[in-house]
Amino acid sequence: MSFLTMTHLEKIFGQNRVVKDFSLSVEKGEFISLLGPSGCGKTTVLRMVAGFESPSAGGITIDGKDVTGLKANSRNIGMMFQAYALFPNMTVADNVAFGLKVKGAPKAERDARVAEMLALIGLADLGGRFPFQLSGGQQQRVALARALAPRPSVLLLDEPLSALDAKVRVSLRNQIRQIQQELGITTIFVTHDQEEAMSISDRIVVMNGGVADQVGAPFEIYNRPRTRFVANFVGTLNTFEVEVADPASGRVMLAGQGLTLPDAPLAARAGETLSVALRPEALRLGRLPDAEALLTAKVTDVHFMGSVIRLKADLAGAAVSLDTFNRPDTPPPVVGSEVEVSLSGRDFILLQA
Amino acid sequence: MPKQPGGQRLRLPLEWLGILPFMIFAVLFLILPTMKIVIGAFQTADGSFTLQNLIDLNTDSIRSAYWTSLKLSFVTALLGCAIGFAMAAAVVFGGLPKGVRNPLVTFSGVASNFAGVPLAFAFIATLGPVGLVTVWLRTEFGINLRAMGFNLLSFWGLVITYLFFQIPLMILIIIPALDGLKREWREAAAVLGATGAQYWRMVALPILFPSLLGTFALLFANAFGAVATAFALTGPQLNIVPIKLFAQIRGDVLGNPNLGYALAFGMIVITALANFLYIWLRVRSERWLK
């Protein structure tokens, strides 16, 4: 049985159904990300798990116990907030000890746990400081220590990295993942940042309009998006219209060249057009031996991003992005030049809804 | 220092021009009068130095006036803070309809400045010996306020009257402070296992403490210096410092202006002490702020 279950959750605010028939089972120790644009309902789901919002319908269980009607202070949950939410009138140590103090833990136990938690987050020497004396990253690490100190059964992370600068964000997300794996704590992470979600999650729930569009491992979500929304939201996508040649074998035509899609048999008749997509890295510069089709593209823009160079180009009547690795001995193509692009049918994503 | 060739042109500090009217006003009506009071408290009628005015404060009547003023200020500040806080909290956190807040704030803005003769008249007309409420309670319910010991022209009558402007003043000042309590603090406390009472005791009230303290000091000073309402309500019969002071400096032939200055000097000292206490406590309680 799953450790945390959400079954047919609904949330209605006035006339607005923010969450619609949302179900999810999370295993013990799993790291799940709820990913989606603003207003998709991901934070509302998290707040229902925390106990800050009551579901309009459906139920939530944690470790087999129905917590749907329980107040937030009876659920044994830890939570990190976007805006840190450290208590400004308390020192770092007092913040971390707060959860244990309200539960009546003896001072010796509190002190030992605070020391353990501060060591875990690498701030052992800062227990006597007040939150305003810490950087944003340090404050959020203290918030993590505070959330973990009472040994919660579930950890909820409500966009905890979005207020931090890029470098701190990457370092803290790695630290969160490392601590989560070390403690084996079941974690739900809300974010609108796909890179963040893909880099630290066991599974991702892509949400759209209050429903879970797709649930899967990051590799699966990125490479096999089930809906057009997921395909567009996660990563950059180039879309093409192809003409079906042979539905049974998955054969299609693009700019007069034949390609075999991996989703055969196709649910279309010969002569019909289908929408397909390719990730930028699946459009490969040059004439490659394993390519099924070779097209010529005109470069319209070049973005040097360090290890990767992203080109914008006109290809088969579509404006596309293609990525190529930087090689110190090979300068990138110049704007206006024509380049050969190799394609393989197996890389195409067939877009459905 | 050798003078630089050509010299520097004297620049008119235009950036100070905007606050010039305020500075003139403050000097004319705050600093100079205060200096006159302080100096006058140590002078005889002919201008020579004396401590007699301060010694003369140590009479039964004046000691009693200070004690009554302190009690009145303390009680009205305390009740004003408690009741005003409860009302503001009900509006901000109590789930009342949003339509309640604006009328309450508007009313508070008006009521906090409602003092003097109009306020005294309003209370005499409602809670005076033949006031509307007094008569209504007596005729409809047989409740005789006077027989129960209530007298509007007394200490507690003055307390009730002062509360009419003290409570709204508290509401006006504390609502922004309550708005400043972040929802995340309450939620973080709850998810860590705290009850509502624990959140208020350990997080919200310590954060609000400087604001509460500041408002208490303001309400105390507001009541301590109020003379118009007290005089309009009770005339010279209530023995509080502002009325005694008023009697000394109004130009009455029996008055002693220098004793009046000494009385005012005493009020300045008490207000200053209250403010120093407030600043000291505030610095202690705000050590967690930048």
Side-chain angles (χ1 to χ4, degrees), chain A residues 280-285 299 301-313 320-335 339:
Chain A
E281 63 273 20
L283 290 162
R284 292 172 295 166
L285 272 188
V299 178
D301 210 352
V302 179
H303 296 278
F304 184 77
M305 293 152 65
S307 60
V308 170
I309 299 166
R310 174 157 291 182
L311 305 176
K312 303 276 184 190
V320 298
S321 296
L322 58 139
D323 290 349
T324 182
F325 280 115
N326 170 47
R327 290 174 58 89
D329 55 347
T330 312
V334 293
V335 173
V339 292

PDB file of all heavy atoms in Angstrom, chain A residues 280-285 299 301-313 320-335 339:
ATOM      1  N   PRO A 280      15.033  19.845 -29.465  1.00  0.00           N
ATOM      2  CA  PRO A 280      16.144  20.517 -30.173  1.00  0.00           C
ATOM      3  C   PRO A 280      17.356  19.617 -30.356  1.00  0.00           C
ATOM      4  O   PRO A 280      18.051  19.707 -31.371  1.00  0.00           O
ATOM      5  CB  PRO A 280      16.464  21.713 -29.261  1.00  0.00           C
ATOM      6  CG  PRO A 280      15.206  21.977 -28.522  1.00  0.00           C
ATOM      7  CD  PRO A 280      14.554  20.637 -28.324  1.00  0.00           C
ATOM      8  N   GLU A 281      17.596  18.738 -29.375  1.00  0.00           N
ATOM      9  CA  GLU A 281      18.798  17.907 -29.479  1.00  0.00           C
ATOM     10  C   GLU A 281      18.613  16.744 -30.465  1.00  0.00           C
ATOM     11  O   GLU A 281      19.575  16.041 -30.800  1.00  0.00           O
ATOM     12  CB  GLU A 281      19.213  17.364 -28.101  1.00  0.00           C
ATOM     13  CG  GLU A 281      18.215  16.443 -27.428  1.00  0.00           C
ATOM     14  CD  GLU A 281      17.170  17.181 -26.614  1.00  0.00           C
ATOM     15  OE1 GLU A 281      16.964  18.403 -26.856  1.00  0.00           O
ATOM     16  OE2 GLU A 281      16.529  16.548 -25.765  1.00  0.00           O
ATOM     17  N   ALA A 282      17.345  16.510 -30.925  1.00  0.00           N
ATOM     18  CA  ALA A 282      17.099  15.440 -31.899  1.00  0.00           C
ATOM     19  C   ALA A 282      17.312  15.915 -33.333  1.00  0.00           C
ATOM     20  O   ALA A 282      17.304  15.109 -34.265  1.00  0.00           O
ATOM     21  CB  ALA A 282      15.685  14.901 -31.732  1.00  0.00           C
ATOM     22  N   LEU A 283      17.475  17.225 -33.507  1.00  0.00           N
ATOM     23  CA  LEU A 283      17.841  17.774 -34.827  1.00  0.00           C
ATOM     24  C   LEU A 283      19.363  17.886 -34.813  1.00  0.00           C
ATOM     25  O   LEU A 283      19.928  18.731 -34.128  1.00  0.00           O
ATOM     26  CB  LEU A 283      17.215  19.163 -35.020  1.00  0.00           C
ATOM     27  CG  LEU A 283      15.697  19.192 -35.190  1.00  0.00           C
ATOM     28  CD1 LEU A 283      15.173  20.593 -34.929  1.00  0.00           C
ATOM     29  CD2 LEU A 283      15.325  18.768 -36.595  1.00  0.00           C
ATOM     30  N   ARG A 284      20.028  16.992 -35.560  1.00  0.00           N
ATOM     31  CA  ARG A 284      21.482  16.902 -35.433  1.00  0.00           C
ATOM     32  C   ARG A 284      22.170  17.548 -36.635  1.00  0.00           C
ATOM     33  O   ARG A 284      21.839  17.251 -37.797  1.00  0.00           O
ATOM     34  CB  ARG A 284      21.889  15.439 -35.271  1.00  0.00           C
ATOM     35  CG  ARG A 284      21.400  14.879 -33.922  1.00  0.00           C
ATOM     36  CD  ARG A 284      21.615  13.384 -33.823  1.00  0.00           C
ATOM     37  NE  ARG A 284      20.817  12.637 -34.770  1.00  0.00           N
ATOM     38  CZ  ARG A 284      21.014  11.358 -35.075  1.00  0.00           C
ATOM     39  NH1 ARG A 284      22.009  10.706 -34.508  1.00  0.00           N
ATOM     40  NH2 ARG A 284      20.246  10.742 -35.948  1.00  0.00           N
ATOM     41  N   LEU A 285      23.105  18.410 -36.352  1.00  0.00           N
ATOM     42  CA  LEU A 285      23.830  19.118 -37.414  1.00  0.00           C
ATOM     43  C   LEU A 285      24.716  18.142 -38.192  1.00  0.00           C
ATOM     44  O   LEU A 285      25.360  17.282 -37.593  1.00  0.00           O
ATOM     45  CB  LEU A 285      24.737  20.197 -36.807  1.00  0.00           C
ATOM     46  CG  LEU A 285      24.151  21.592 -36.558  1.00  0.00           C
ATOM     47  CD1 LEU A 285      25.267  22.536 -36.144  1.00  0.00           C
ATOM     48  CD2 LEU A 285      23.455  22.115 -37.809  1.00  0.00           C
ATOM     49  N   VAL A 299      20.169  29.124 -41.013  1.00  0.00           N
ATOM     50  CA  VAL A 299      20.366  29.610 -39.650  1.00  0.00           C
ATOM     51  C   VAL A 299      19.869  31.048 -39.527  1.00  0.00           C
ATOM     52  O   VAL A 299      20.241  31.905 -40.336  1.00  0.00           O
ATOM     53  CB  VAL A 299      21.861  29.529 -39.243  1.00  0.00           C
ATOM     54  CG1 VAL A 299      22.073  30.091 -37.840  1.00  0.00           C
ATOM     55  CG2 VAL A 299      22.348  28.089 -39.334  1.00  0.00           C
ATOM     56  N   ASP A 301      19.519  32.502 -36.159  1.00  0.00           N
ATOM     57  CA  ASP A 301      20.027  33.071 -34.908  1.00  0.00           C
ATOM     58  C   ASP A 301      20.955  32.059 -34.238  1.00  0.00           C
ATOM     59  O   ASP A 301      20.781  30.847 -34.410  1.00  0.00           O
ATOM     60  CB  ASP A 301      18.862  33.400 -33.953  1.00  0.00           C
ATOM     61  CG  ASP A 301      19.186  34.561 -33.049  1.00  0.00           C
ATOM     62  OD1 ASP A 301      20.348  35.006 -33.055  1.00  0.00           O
ATOM     63  OD2 ASP A 301      18.279  35.022 -32.329  1.00  0.00           O
ATOM     64  N   VAL A 302      21.915  32.551 -33.481  1.00  0.00           N
ATOM     65  CA  VAL A 302      22.852  31.663 -32.785  1.00  0.00           C
ATOM     66  C   VAL A 302      22.969  32.123 -31.327  1.00  0.00           C
ATOM     67  O   VAL A 302      23.236  33.296 -31.068  1.00  0.00           O
ATOM     68  CB  VAL A 302      24.259  31.701 -33.453  1.00  0.00           C
ATOM     69  CG1 VAL A 302      25.224  30.788 -32.696  1.00  0.00           C
ATOM     70  CG2 VAL A 302      24.166  31.294 -34.915  1.00  0.00           C
ATOM     71  N   HIS A 303      22.704  31.206 -30.382  1.00  0.00           N
ATOM     72  CA  HIS A 303      22.872  31.515 -28.954  1.00  0.00           C
ATOM     73  C   HIS A 303      23.960  30.624 -28.386  1.00  0.00           C
ATOM     74  O   HIS A 303      23.782  29.408 -28.305  1.00  0.00           O
ATOM     75  CB  HIS A 303      21.567  31.267 -28.187  1.00  0.00           C
ATOM     76  CG  HIS A 303      20.464  32.157 -28.614  1.00  0.00           C
ATOM     77  ND1 HIS A 303      20.324  33.447 -28.152  1.00  0.00           N
ATOM     78  CD2 HIS A 303      19.443  31.964 -29.478  1.00  0.00           C
ATOM     79  CE1 HIS A 303      19.270  34.011 -28.711  1.00  0.00           C
ATOM     80  NE2 HIS A 303      18.717  33.123 -29.522  1.00  0.00           N
ATOM     81  N   PHE A 304      25.070  31.238 -28.024  1.00  0.00           N
ATOM     82  CA  PHE A 304      26.141  30.468 -27.399  1.00  0.00           C
ATOM     83  C   PHE A 304      25.859  30.377 -25.911  1.00  0.00           C
ATOM     84  O   PHE A 304      25.767  31.378 -25.223  1.00  0.00           O
ATOM     85  CB  PHE A 304      27.493  31.164 -27.673  1.00  0.00           C
ATOM     86  CG  PHE A 304      28.658  30.388 -27.157  1.00  0.00           C
ATOM     87  CD1 PHE A 304      29.117  29.280 -27.857  1.00  0.00           C
ATOM     88  CD2 PHE A 304      29.281  30.731 -25.967  1.00  0.00           C
ATOM     89  CE1 PHE A 304      30.198  28.549 -27.374  1.00  0.00           C
ATOM     90  CE2 PHE A 304      30.349  30.008 -25.487  1.00  0.00           C
ATOM     91  CZ  PHE A 304      30.819  28.908 -26.187  1.00  0.00           C
ATOM     92  N   MET A 305      25.657  29.144 -25.388  1.00  0.00           N
ATOM     93  CA  MET A 305      25.275  28.976 -23.975  1.00  0.00           C
ATOM     94  C   MET A 305      26.344  28.219 -23.199  1.00  0.00           C
ATOM     95  O   MET A 305      26.065  27.580 -22.199  1.00  0.00           O
ATOM     96  CB  MET A 305      23.929  28.232 -23.906  1.00  0.00           C
ATOM     97  CG  MET A 305      22.777  29.061 -24.467  1.00  0.00           C
ATOM     98  SD  MET A 305      21.414  28.090 -25.146  1.00  0.00           S
ATOM     99  CE  MET A 305      20.801  27.263 -23.723  1.00  0.00           C
ATOM    100  N   GLY A 306      27.566  28.239 -23.666  1.00  0.00           N
ATOM    101  CA  GLY A 306      28.627  27.527 -22.949  1.00  0.00           C
ATOM    102  C   GLY A 306      28.827  26.157 -23.565  1.00  0.00           C
ATOM    103  O   GLY A 306      29.302  26.034 -24.698  1.00  0.00           O
ATOM    104  N   SER A 307      28.431  25.122 -22.830  1.00  0.00           N
ATOM    105  CA  SER A 307      28.649  23.765 -23.341  1.00  0.00           C
ATOM    106  C   SER A 307      27.730  23.451 -24.527  1.00  0.00           C
ATOM    107  O   SER A 307      28.008  22.563 -25.319  1.00  0.00           O
ATOM    108  CB  SER A 307      28.428  22.747 -22.227  1.00  0.00           C
ATOM    109  OG  SER A 307      27.112  22.858 -21.753  1.00  0.00           O
ATOM    110  N   VAL A 308      26.616  24.189 -24.607  1.00  0.00           N
ATOM    111  CA  VAL A 308      25.644  23.939 -25.678  1.00  0.00           C
ATOM    112  C   VAL A 308      25.485  25.199 -26.514  1.00  0.00           C
ATOM    113  O   VAL A 308      25.532  26.314 -25.996  1.00  0.00           O
ATOM    114  CB  VAL A 308      24.282  23.524 -25.057  1.00  0.00           C
ATOM    115  CG1 VAL A 308      23.191  23.487 -26.114  1.00  0.00           C
ATOM    116  CG2 VAL A 308      24.401  22.175 -24.367  1.00  0.00           C
ATOM    117  N   ILE A 309      25.315  24.997 -27.845  1.00  0.00           N
ATOM    118  CA  ILE A 309      24.996  26.135 -28.728  1.00  0.00           C
ATOM    119  C   ILE A 309      23.592  25.887 -29.261  1.00  0.00           C
ATOM    120  O   ILE A 309      23.311  24.822 -29.803  1.00  0.00           O
ATOM    121  CB  ILE A 309      25.987  26.236 -29.893  1.00  0.00           C
ATOM    122  CG1 ILE A 309      27.407  26.465 -29.333  1.00  0.00           C
ATOM    123  CG2 ILE A 309      25.602  27.367 -30.846  1.00  0.00           C
ATOM    124  CD1 ILE A 309      28.494  26.241 -30.360  1.00  0.00           C
ATOM    125  N   ARG A 310      22.710  26.846 -29.074  1.00  0.00           N
ATOM    126  CA  ARG A 310      21.336  26.703 -29.596  1.00  0.00           C
ATOM    127  C   ARG A 310      21.193  27.551 -30.861  1.00  0.00           C
ATOM    128  O   ARG A 310      21.424  28.767 -30.825  1.00  0.00           O
ATOM    129  CB  ARG A 310      20.315  27.110 -28.549  1.00  0.00           C
ATOM    130  CG  ARG A 310      18.889  27.128 -29.096  1.00  0.00           C
ATOM    131  CD  ARG A 310      17.853  26.978 -28.030  1.00  0.00           C
ATOM    132  NE  ARG A 310      17.874  25.623 -27.463  1.00  0.00           N
ATOM    133  CZ  ARG A 310      17.044  25.199 -26.525  1.00  0.00           C
ATOM    134  NH1 ARG A 310      16.136  26.016 -26.036  1.00  0.00           N
ATOM    135  NH2 ARG A 310      17.115  23.977 -26.068  1.00  0.00           N
ATOM    136  N   LEU A 311      20.814  26.881 -31.926  1.00  0.00           N
ATOM    137  CA  LEU A 311      20.605  27.584 -33.199  1.00  0.00           C
ATOM    138  C   LEU A 311      19.111  27.727 -33.458  1.00  0.00           C
ATOM    139  O   LEU A 311      18.337  26.824 -33.134  1.00  0.00           O
ATOM    140  CB  LEU A 311      21.226  26.797 -34.363  1.00  0.00           C
ATOM    141  CG  LEU A 311      22.706  26.412 -34.273  1.00  0.00           C
ATOM    142  CD1 LEU A 311      23.094  25.565 -35.477  1.00  0.00           C
ATOM    143  CD2 LEU A 311      23.569  27.659 -34.209  1.00  0.00           C
ATOM    144  N   LYS A 312      18.727  28.844 -34.028  1.00  0.00           N
ATOM    145  CA  LYS A 312      17.371  29.000 -34.552  1.00  0.00           C
ATOM    146  C   LYS A 312      17.505  28.900 -36.071  1.00  0.00           C
ATOM    147  O   LYS A 312      18.432  29.493 -36.652  1.00  0.00           O
ATOM    148  CB  LYS A 312      16.776  30.358 -34.198  1.00  0.00           C
ATOM    149  CG  LYS A 312      16.741  30.649 -32.701  1.00  0.00           C
ATOM    150  CD  LYS A 312      15.538  30.045 -32.066  1.00  0.00           C
ATOM    151  CE  LYS A 312      15.479  30.444 -30.587  1.00  0.00           C
ATOM    152  NZ  LYS A 312      14.458  29.701 -29.870  1.00  0.00           N
ATOM    153  N   ALA A 313      16.588  28.169 -36.676  1.00  0.00           N
ATOM    154  CA  ALA A 313      16.727  27.973 -38.133  1.00  0.00           C
ATOM    155  C   ALA A 313      15.363  27.756 -38.772  1.00  0.00           C
ATOM    156  O   ALA A 313      14.391  27.406 -38.083  1.00  0.00           O
ATOM    157  CB  ALA A 313      17.628  26.771 -38.388  1.00  0.00           C
ATOM    158  N   VAL A 320      12.628  26.419 -36.203  1.00  0.00           N
ATOM    159  CA  VAL A 320      12.994  25.395 -35.224  1.00  0.00           C
ATOM    160  C   VAL A 320      14.188  25.834 -34.382  1.00  0.00           C
ATOM    161  O   VAL A 320      14.927  26.755 -34.755  1.00  0.00           O
ATOM    162  CB  VAL A 320      13.347  24.052 -35.911  1.00  0.00           C
ATOM    163  CG1 VAL A 320      12.156  23.503 -36.671  1.00  0.00           C
ATOM    164  CG2 VAL A 320      14.561  24.222 -36.821  1.00  0.00           C
ATOM    165  N   SER A 321      14.327  25.158 -33.219  1.00  0.00           N
ATOM    166  CA  SER A 321      15.525  25.318 -32.394  1.00  0.00           C
ATOM    167  C   SER A 321      16.293  24.020 -32.468  1.00  0.00           C
ATOM    168  O   SER A 321      15.692  22.938 -32.399  1.00  0.00           O
ATOM    169  CB  SER A 321      15.126  25.560 -30.933  1.00  0.00           C
ATOM    170  OG  SER A 321      14.433  26.756 -30.810  1.00  0.00           O
ATOM    171  N   LEU A 322      17.610  24.096 -32.614  1.00  0.00           N
ATOM    172  CA  LEU A 322      18.386  22.867 -32.536  1.00  0.00           C
ATOM    173  C   LEU A 322      19.639  23.096 -31.702  1.00  0.00           C
ATOM    174  O   LEU A 322      20.228  24.179 -31.754  1.00  0.00           O
ATOM    175  CB  LEU A 322      18.735  22.311 -33.916  1.00  0.00           C
ATOM    176  CG  LEU A 322      19.514  23.142 -34.898  1.00  0.00           C
ATOM    177  CD1 LEU A 322      20.529  22.279 -35.597  1.00  0.00           C
ATOM    178  CD2 LEU A 322      18.558  23.714 -35.916  1.00  0.00           C
ATOM    179  N   ASP A 323      19.962  22.082 -30.912  1.00  0.00           N
ATOM    180  CA  ASP A 323      21.097  22.193 -29.984  1.00  0.00           C
ATOM    181  C   ASP A 323      22.267  21.363 -30.487  1.00  0.00           C
ATOM    182  O   ASP A 323      22.084  20.245 -30.973  1.00  0.00           O
ATOM    183  CB  ASP A 323      20.704  21.661 -28.601  1.00  0.00           C
ATOM    184  CG  ASP A 323      19.713  22.580 -27.900  1.00  0.00           C
ATOM    185  OD1 ASP A 323      19.504  23.709 -28.385  1.00  0.00           O
ATOM    186  OD2 ASP A 323      19.145  22.165 -26.875  1.00  0.00           O
ATOM    187  N   THR A 324      23.430  21.913 -30.326  1.00  0.00           N
ATOM    188  CA  THR A 324      24.636  21.149 -30.636  1.00  0.00           C
ATOM    189  C   THR A 324      25.671  21.449 -29.564  1.00  0.00           C
ATOM    190  O   THR A 324      25.676  22.543 -29.001  1.00  0.00           O
ATOM    191  CB  THR A 324      25.158  21.502 -32.048  1.00  0.00           C
ATOM    192  OG1 THR A 324      26.289  20.714 -32.327  1.00  0.00           O
ATOM    193  CG2 THR A 324      25.519  22.973 -32.177  1.00  0.00           C
ATOM    194  N   PHE A 325      26.490  20.452 -29.264  1.00  0.00           N
ATOM    195  CA  PHE A 325      27.513  20.674 -28.241  1.00  0.00           C
ATOM    196  C   PHE A 325      28.596  21.609 -28.761  1.00  0.00           C
ATOM    197  O   PHE A 325      28.946  21.584 -29.951  1.00  0.00           O
ATOM    198  CB  PHE A 325      28.155  19.349 -27.824  1.00  0.00           C
ATOM    199  CG  PHE A 325      27.297  18.585 -26.849  1.00  0.00           C
ATOM    200  CD1 PHE A 325      26.740  17.364 -27.207  1.00  0.00           C
ATOM    201  CD2 PHE A 325      27.050  19.093 -25.579  1.00  0.00           C
ATOM    202  CE1 PHE A 325      25.957  16.664 -26.317  1.00  0.00           C
ATOM    203  CE2 PHE A 325      26.259  18.391 -24.689  1.00  0.00           C
ATOM    204  CZ  PHE A 325      25.707  17.175 -25.056  1.00  0.00           C
ATOM    205  N   ASN A 326      29.133  22.401 -27.897  1.00  0.00           N
ATOM    206  CA  ASN A 326      30.246  23.273 -28.249  1.00  0.00           C
ATOM    207  C   ASN A 326      31.511  22.435 -28.416  1.00  0.00           C
ATOM    208  O   ASN A 326      31.776  21.537 -27.618  1.00  0.00           O
ATOM    209  CB  ASN A 326      30.437  24.307 -27.128  1.00  0.00           C
ATOM    210  CG  ASN A 326      31.709  25.095 -27.298  1.00  0.00           C
ATOM    211  OD1 ASN A 326      31.990  25.583 -28.403  1.00  0.00           O
ATOM    212  ND2 ASN A 326      32.490  25.220 -26.232  1.00  0.00           N
ATOM    213  N   ARG A 327      32.250  22.701 -29.475  1.00  0.00           N
ATOM    214  CA  ARG A 327      33.571  22.073 -29.656  1.00  0.00           C
ATOM    215  C   ARG A 327      34.560  23.216 -29.842  1.00  0.00           C
ATOM    216  O   ARG A 327      34.389  24.049 -30.737  1.00  0.00           O
ATOM    217  CB  ARG A 327      33.570  21.160 -30.876  1.00  0.00           C
ATOM    218  CG  ARG A 327      32.739  19.885 -30.694  1.00  0.00           C
ATOM    219  CD  ARG A 327      32.670  19.119 -31.997  1.00  0.00           C
ATOM    220  NE  ARG A 327      33.993  18.761 -32.500  1.00  0.00           N
ATOM    221  CZ  ARG A 327      34.627  17.633 -32.182  1.00  0.00           C
ATOM    222  NH1 ARG A 327      34.040  16.748 -31.396  1.00  0.00           N
ATOM    223  NH2 ARG A 327      35.832  17.380 -32.647  1.00  0.00           N
ATOM    224  N   PRO A 328      35.575  23.263 -29.008  1.00  0.00           N
ATOM    225  CA  PRO A 328      36.502  24.401 -29.068  1.00  0.00           C
ATOM    226  C   PRO A 328      37.132  24.590 -30.442  1.00  0.00           C
ATOM    227  O   PRO A 328      37.491  25.711 -30.811  1.00  0.00           O
ATOM    228  CB  PRO A 328      37.566  24.037 -28.021  1.00  0.00           C
ATOM    229  CG  PRO A 328      36.903  23.071 -27.111  1.00  0.00           C
ATOM    230  CD  PRO A 328      35.907  22.319 -27.923  1.00  0.00           C
ATOM    231  N   ASP A 329      37.270  23.477 -31.210  1.00  0.00           N
ATOM    232  CA  ASP A 329      37.948  23.603 -32.502  1.00  0.00           C
ATOM    233  C   ASP A 329      36.981  23.881 -33.651  1.00  0.00           C
ATOM    234  O   ASP A 329      37.395  23.994 -34.808  1.00  0.00           O
ATOM    235  CB  ASP A 329      38.768  22.334 -32.797  1.00  0.00           C
ATOM    236  CG  ASP A 329      37.902  21.078 -32.719  1.00  0.00           C
ATOM    237  OD1 ASP A 329      36.758  21.194 -32.206  1.00  0.00           O
ATOM    238  OD2 ASP A 329      38.353  20.008 -33.165  1.00  0.00           O
ATOM    239  N   THR A 330      35.671  23.956 -33.370  1.00  0.00           N
ATOM    240  CA  THR A 330      34.692  24.185 -34.445  1.00  0.00           C
ATOM    241  C   THR A 330      33.808  25.371 -34.110  1.00  0.00           C
ATOM    242  O   THR A 330      32.990  25.290 -33.197  1.00  0.00           O
ATOM    243  CB  THR A 330      33.791  22.931 -34.631  1.00  0.00           C
ATOM    244  OG1 THR A 330      34.629  21.778 -34.690  1.00  0.00           O
ATOM    245  CG2 THR A 330      32.934  23.047 -35.875  1.00  0.00           C
ATOM    246  N   PRO A 331      33.990  26.485 -34.810  1.00  0.00           N
ATOM    247  CA  PRO A 331      33.125  27.642 -34.518  1.00  0.00           C
ATOM    248  C   PRO A 331      31.676  27.356 -34.929  1.00  0.00           C
ATOM    249  O   PRO A 331      31.444  26.572 -35.857  1.00  0.00           O
ATOM    250  CB  PRO A 331      33.728  28.763 -35.357  1.00  0.00           C
ATOM    251  CG  PRO A 331      34.544  28.096 -36.391  1.00  0.00           C
ATOM    252  CD  PRO A 331      34.946  26.764 -35.887  1.00  0.00           C
ATOM    253  N   PRO A 332      30.692  27.955 -34.254  1.00  0.00           N
ATOM    254  CA  PRO A 332      29.289  27.711 -34.603  1.00  0.00           C
ATOM    255  C   PRO A 332      28.963  28.308 -35.972  1.00  0.00           C
ATOM    256  O   PRO A 332      29.659  29.213 -36.452  1.00  0.00           O
ATOM    257  CB  PRO A 332      28.519  28.430 -33.494  1.00  0.00           C
ATOM    258  CG  PRO A 332      29.464  29.416 -32.923  1.00  0.00           C
ATOM    259  CD  PRO A 332      30.837  28.886 -33.130  1.00  0.00           C
ATOM    260  N   PRO A 333      27.926  27.797 -36.649  1.00  0.00           N
ATOM    261  CA  PRO A 333      27.519  28.362 -37.941  1.00  0.00           C
ATOM    262  C   PRO A 333      27.165  29.834 -37.795  1.00  0.00           C
ATOM    263  O   PRO A 333      26.736  30.263 -36.718  1.00  0.00           O
ATOM    264  CB  PRO A 333      26.292  27.540 -38.342  1.00  0.00           C
ATOM    265  CG  PRO A 333      26.265  26.368 -37.424  1.00  0.00           C
ATOM    266  CD  PRO A 333      27.025  26.734 -36.220  1.00  0.00           C
ATOM    267  N   VAL A 334      27.316  30.562 -38.870  1.00  0.00           N
ATOM    268  CA  VAL A 334      26.984  31.985 -38.790  1.00  0.00           C
ATOM    269  C   VAL A 334      25.533  32.194 -39.251  1.00  0.00           C
ATOM    270  O   VAL A 334      24.984  31.390 -40.009  1.00  0.00           O
ATOM    271  CB  VAL A 334      27.935  32.847 -39.650  1.00  0.00           C
ATOM    272  CG1 VAL A 334      29.340  32.802 -39.075  1.00  0.00           C
ATOM    273  CG2 VAL A 334      27.908  32.398 -41.090  1.00  0.00           C
ATOM    274  N   VAL A 335      24.948  33.274 -38.807  1.00  0.00           N
ATOM    275  CA  VAL A 335      23.566  33.594 -39.176  1.00  0.00           C
ATOM    276  C   VAL A 335      23.487  33.795 -40.689  1.00  0.00           C
ATOM    277  O   VAL A 335      24.340  34.464 -41.281  1.00  0.00           O
ATOM    278  CB  VAL A 335      23.094  34.863 -38.435  1.00  0.00           C
ATOM    279  CG1 VAL A 335      21.723  35.306 -38.937  1.00  0.00           C
ATOM    280  CG2 VAL A 335      23.063  34.634 -36.936  1.00  0.00           C
ATOM    281  N   VAL A 339      22.776  24.936 -43.327  1.00  0.00           N
ATOM    282  CA  VAL A 339      23.390  23.771 -42.682  1.00  0.00           C
ATOM    283  C   VAL A 339      22.569  22.534 -42.998  1.00  0.00           C
ATOM    284  O   VAL A 339      21.368  22.619 -43.256  1.00  0.00           O
ATOM    285  CB  VAL A 339      23.487  23.957 -41.142  1.00  0.00           C
ATOM    286  CG1 VAL A 339      24.479  25.034 -40.780  1.00  0.00           C
ATOM    287  CG2 VAL A 339      22.122  24.262 -40.533  1.00  0.00           C
TER     288      VAL A 339
END
